[in-house]
Amino acid sequence: MIKVGLVETEIVGLDAIDRAVARLRAGTLVALPTETVYGLAALASDADAVARIFVAKGRPATNPLIVHVSDATQARSVVAEWPSLAQTLTDAFWPGPLTLVLPRAASVPDIVTAGLDSVAVRAPAHPVFRRVLEQTGPLAAPSANRSNAVSPTRAEHVRASLGGRIELILDGGPCEVGIESTVLSLLGDTPTVLRLGAVTPAMLREVIGDVQVRELVEEGARRSPGTGARHYAPDAEVVFVTHGDEEALRAALTEGGAAIVHTLQHAGPHRRLPDDPEGFARGLYDALHALDADHDRIVIERVPDSAEWAAVADRLRRASRLG
Ligand code: TXA
Ligand code: MG
């Protein structure tokens, strides 16, 4: 029987990188900072260690993990094909928040890819994660939170979600990007965005031309696992009000709760996020974690309906239990 909730969870500083590397090599899980969100890492080649990721997160075995690599050379060791498109994309966007889905190498354990013939790979930009990867080789790492909860952008968020279930969290400060990477599949004829992120479809098109975006389809339909509408949701009820609508905000908060605003003013409990997509994304999960701890209802001012805000709008939709 696997027991959970019995280990002591330690947050350590960057002077403990060597210890984190040693633990990973020994098959232990370690939470590490990336530029997007914190990841819960295990050696990608160690099926037993990877299995412990699924247990710690309560993640369904049908949801494949991203394999993190230091660079394109390491990426080539976990894929079966490296098309010129992959080289062009990684030259342009790696290290950074772009994950590529490619045919997988036979050496990647089934559990990593949930039995799929493809593997998701990404080279994170965070210097700490990169230093670890150079010493450990490829690391499987989903976001370091309980399955379906809001991703962590600070070491404390990891402890709040996975405390008692993992031993070590390497604190690399708050994440710069703040939302999960763009996932781009190169399996079909046309490159397809499966999850929106900081690398936008427009940025991809500038480099490789034609790119399609898999539309949000109804829950239950065939789609990338882990892109379900109810992912990334806080415990609190999440309600939206129209961008710039003071009156709607006041009405939504008459029975209590806290607000996340970016143009509106609010005197009660709230978090104010910057009125630009990058700044909003950077602060969003921290605001959700902070307000979720003390409130049953979070009222969020909607963001503009434009291409630049699409990744943020996607995460806001998923934060709502209404989908
Ligand atoms: O920014 C990120 O991507 C963060 C940091 C830690 O790197 N990681 C992350 O991992 O968000 P996770 O496991 O929370 O989300 C991975 C997403 C899921 O939606 C999963 O279904 C999808 O990538 N994915 C993984 N392998 C796939 C594959 N072979 N085909 C299609 N989708 C895949
Ligand atoms: Mg996740």
Side-chain angles (χ1 to χ4, degrees), residues 234-239 252-253 255-259 269 288-299 319 321:
D235 291 331
E237 178 194 11
V238 173
V239 176
L253 288 163
E255 280 167 34
L288 288 173
H289 280 284
L291 299 180
D292 197 24
D294 299 327
H295 301 275
D296 295 334
R297 186 179 164 84
I298 302 174
V299 179
R321 296 217 172 253

Side-chain angles (χ1 to χ4, degrees), residues 57 59 142-145 149 151 180 195 231-232:
K57 281 181 61 87
R59 181 175 175 115
S143 52
N145 52 275
S151 292
E180 305 81 355
R195 181 173 73 183
H231 277 72
Y232 316 120

